[in-house]
Amino acid sequence: MEKAEENHCPIQQLPYEMLCEIFNYLDIGSVKQCSLTCRRWQEIIFSDSYIKRFKLCVKLPLPLPEQNALKISDRLYRNVNLQLQRSTTQTDKRELFNGIYAIFCYPKLEQLVTLKLSIPKEETNSILMLMNSIKKMNVLRELHIVGSYGWIFTSNQTISFKISNQSIRSLFAENIMPIIIKAPNLSSLRIVLNSYETVHVLNEKFLHSNQLPNLKHLELVAGRNLKGSKIASRSNVKHLLQFFSKLKTLETLKLQNVLTFGYLLKAICEHCTNLTVLVIESLHLLETSTLHHLSKLTKLRHLTFGNIRCLDPVSFRGVHLPNLESVALGSFPILDETLRAFKVATKITLLGHDSTINLIPAIATTMPNLKHVELEHFSATNLQSLNLLASVEELTIRFPIDVIVVAFRCIVDNIKAIHSLVSTIPSDSTIEQLLIIFPKLVLLKVGEHFNQTFI
């Protein structure tokens, strides 16, 4: 097609983003044919921002015809999603091996940017092959590994599961625990544990086997069925403290459903002084004076305590966080006046189902810069007390808008924006009632797709 004809063709008037969405509906062969249509389409399809979308999603072992097609293909995928299925026969094992080889042979493995693996625990030979391949992926940036439930290598097995790569930046592991990670450029590590076996290995081996000099984001999550799991056993506390003492570059730390003790909080505050985000879901203290160490986190912007257990009511007296922007607190006894520690914060999230009768009034008097309140659960007490927070203009809730209309019996004239994270679109009558309760309401947002403004 000549350039003049291209310019006058109506489809050429479509913006880049819309053409990309159209191409996404096509298979790879059709996209290749589209690239021969005109100069503009060819430039869009083979631009770095689009071509990297192509990914290979495959389950191994493959039927023989598909396996042969994979072998002769010269396509260089940048993103691979590979699901290994348990092989029960020698033929299956051979086909599984051949399938892995076809995907990760040179030069294909050198092009990979993201790799997602689903691995059954029985396939030890395949896992060794994959781990050796990962070493040679020179531009790999993201690695996701998901193991079948309870998947782990224990100390009495001959294989030791290691991840070694010089370019990887992000690692996500679920139901699977690498004993050793050699990734000097790793900046983000997220580990989700759903079995006591994986927790055990984290306790005894992982903490003293890894050095992550450039790690910025660390998240350890125990499954709900393992809520209260400890990061380390009593015999491994030394290794735990050494592990955190080396995380000088850490900026985000999230410990979810993992039982954290005061000595670990102290170590985190002493060594991870670059933290901007700290989330601890379950903290056990002998005495609340341990919380004083939070003042060492001078760069902290977001702080979350889901639950704090202590013999005495929790006191944040003496804590000074000059750059704090938001704080999230669960339903645990607090000395209300010590909330002054969070006086510079502009947002507070209440995580509990209900609060003490004095909490909202205490927040009103101790946090004068507050502009935004988030409620994770419906609480009549918290909702009815919103009019005490005169400086607050924005409300976020994690329950349907309809609940507010049913619960309220008063007018709140300071809220200008409401966002419900539950995608239940309110009826017109609900919105009318909402405007009566919040007469200054300007913006209503529900989920990600419903926005309505009011003049």
Side-chain angles (χ1 to χ4, degrees):
M1 186 181 291
E2 296 297 325
K3 188 173 181 180
E5 293 178 354
E6 288 182 25
N7 293 336
H8 287 90
C9 181
I11 198 170
Q12 294 300 331
Q13 307 304 316
L14 293 176
Y16 170 90
E17 295 78 4
M18 188 172 293
L19 283 172
C20 288
E21 287 297 319
I22 294 172
F23 294 151
N24 285 343
Y25 283 98
L26 306 177
D27 57 50
I28 291 177
S30 299
V31 172
K32 287 182 178 179
Q33 292 298 317
C34 287
S35 70
L36 302 175
T37 302
C38 65
R39 188 179 297 105
R40 184 174 182 234
W41 285 20
Q42 184 182 62
E43 290 173 353
I44 291 174
I45 289 171
F46 288 100
S47 65
D48 286 341
S49 60
Y50 184 77
I51 201 72
K52 68 182 180 181
R53 299 184 186 191
F54 291 120
K55 65 174 63 176
L56 174 66
C57 299
V58 64
K59 295 181 180 180
L60 295 181
L62 284 170
L64 188 59
E66 295 181 28
Q67 187 181 128
N68 291 334
L70 189 61
K71 286 181 181 179
I72 64 175
S73 172
D74 59 355
R75 178 74 185 181
L76 299 178
Y77 293 97
R78 294 173 64 84
N79 309 283
V80 170
N81 189 341
L82 179 62
Q83 182 177 344
L84 301 188
Q85 297 174 310
R86 182 181 179 185
S87 54
T88 55
T89 66
Q90 288 301 318
T91 301
D92 286 343
K93 291 182 183 296
R94 183 169 58 253
E95 291 180 351
L96 183 62
F97 177 89
N98 291 336
I100 294 174
Y101 181 79
I103 296 171
F104 297 115
C105 63
Y106 285 102
K108 295 179 180 179
L109 62 79
E110 291 187 323
Q111 309 299 314
L112 281 176
V113 175
T114 65
L115 175 60
K116 296 184 179 182
L117 299 172
S118 178
I119 307 176
K121 63 181 178 180
E122 298 85 2
E123 301 300 333
T124 55
N125 290 332
S126 299
I127 294 164
L128 278 174
M129 187 178 180
L130 288 169
M131 294 307 111
N132 288 330
S133 297
I134 288 172
K135 294 179 183 179
K136 303 168 186 176
M137 297 176 186
N138 298 325
V139 295
L140 187 68
R141 292 294 182 269
E142 297 181 21
L143 175 61
H144 296 235
I145 306 181
V146 178
S148 59
Y149 190 80
W151 190 102
I152 197 66
F153 283 125
T154 56
S155 58
N156 61 356
Q157 289 180 303
T158 57
I159 189 170
S160 178
F161 177 48
K162 303 176 183 178
I163 293 176
S164 178
N165 185 278
Q166 295 296 312
S167 63
I168 186 173
R169 299 289 194 275
S170 175
L171 171 60
F172 169 68
E174 182 176 359
N175 298 337
I176 188 169
M177 178 56 63
I179 305 304
I180 297 175
I181 301 175
K182 292 185 177 179
N185 292 306
L186 190 70
S187 64
S188 178
L189 174 60
R190 185 172 189 261
I191 297 177
V192 179
L193 310 173
N194 286 310
S195 78
Y196 283 106
E197 288 177 324
T198 49
V199 172
H200 173 76
V201 171
L202 173 64
N203 291 348
E204 305 304 331
K205 297 181 180 180
F206 176 80
L207 290 173
H208 59 86
S209 300
N210 294 280
Q211 294 186 7
L212 306 169
N214 294 301
L215 194 66
K216 292 185 178 181
H217 310 284
L218 174 61
E219 186 172 357
L220 301 178
V221 183
R224 290 290 173 182
N225 58 319
L226 297 180
K227 191 171 184 178
S229 297
K230 301 176 183 177
I231 297 181
S233 60
R234 291 182 180 179
S235 60
N236 209 33
V237 170
K238 180 180 178 181
H239 293 140
L240 176 67
L241 297 179
Q242 288 177 345
F243 175 74
F244 277 94
S245 69
K246 298 173 184 177
L247 301 181
K248 305 293 185 182
T249 59
L250 202 64
E251 296 177 3
T252 300
L253 175 60
K254 296 181 180 181
L255 304 175
Q256 298 181 332
N257 291 340
V258 177
L259 186 58
T260 306
F261 291 98
Y263 65 80
L264 178 56
L265 176 65
K266 181 179 178 182
I268 291 169
C269 295
E270 288 179 350
H271 300 291
C272 307
T273 53
N274 285 308
L275 279 179
T276 59
V277 177
L278 176 60
V279 177
I280 297 180
E281 189 158 323
S282 182
L283 178 63
H284 282 206
L285 301 175
L286 292 177
E287 52 185 23
T288 59
S289 60
T290 305
L291 293 169
H292 296 173
H293 295 281
L294 287 171
S295 296
K296 298 175 183 178
L297 303 178
T298 56
K299 298 180 181 180
L300 197 66
R301 294 166 55 196
H302 308 286
L303 175 64
T304 297
F305 285 122
N307 185 34
I308 300 179
R309 292 186 181 182
C310 188
L311 294 176
D312 301 315
V314 172
S315 171
F316 294 100
R317 185 175 286 111
V319 175
H320 179 56
L321 300 170
N323 292 298
L324 193 68
E325 296 175 8
S326 68
V327 60
L329 302 173
S331 295
F332 50 86
I334 304 174
L335 291 179
D336 297 331
E337 70 276 9
T338 67
L339 291 173
R340 294 185 186 280
F342 313 128
K343 62 183 179 181
V344 298
T346 58
K347 178 183 177 181
I348 189 168
T349 301
L350 301 179
L351 302 172
H353 288 274
D354 214 341
S355 306
T356 62
I357 193 171
N358 296 324
L359 181 61
I360 299 296
I363 292 173
T365 58
T366 58
M367 301 178 67
N369 296 318
L370 208 59
K371 299 294 182 183
H372 187 179
V373 171
E374 181 172 344
L375 303 177
E376 181 162 307
H377 302 283
F378 167 72
S379 167
T381 301
N382 292 338
L383 284 171
Q384 298 291 356
S385 302
L386 282 177
N387 54 5
L388 299 177
L389 304 175
S391 63
V392 173
E393 298 180 351
E394 184 175 354
L395 172 65
T396 299
I397 58 175
R398 294 182 180 270
F399 45 86
I401 289 287
D402 298 26
V403 176
I404 294 182
V405 173
V406 174
F408 262 95
R409 296 293 182 270
C410 59
I411 293 177
V412 179
D413 59 4
N414 53 304
I415 300 296
K416 297 180 180 179
I418 298 177
H419 182 194
S420 172
L421 301 181
V422 178
S423 300
T424 303
I425 306 301
S427 63
D428 292 341
S429 61
T430 297
I431 294 175
E432 289 177 4
Q433 291 178 285
L434 205 64
L435 290 173
I436 294 173
I437 298 170
F438 302 96
K440 294 185 179 180
L441 191 65
V442 174
L443 173 64
L444 175 62
K445 184 176 180 180
V446 179
E448 295 296 326
H449 306 291
F450 179 87
N451 285 276
Q452 187 166 347
T453 56
F454 310 98
I455 299 176

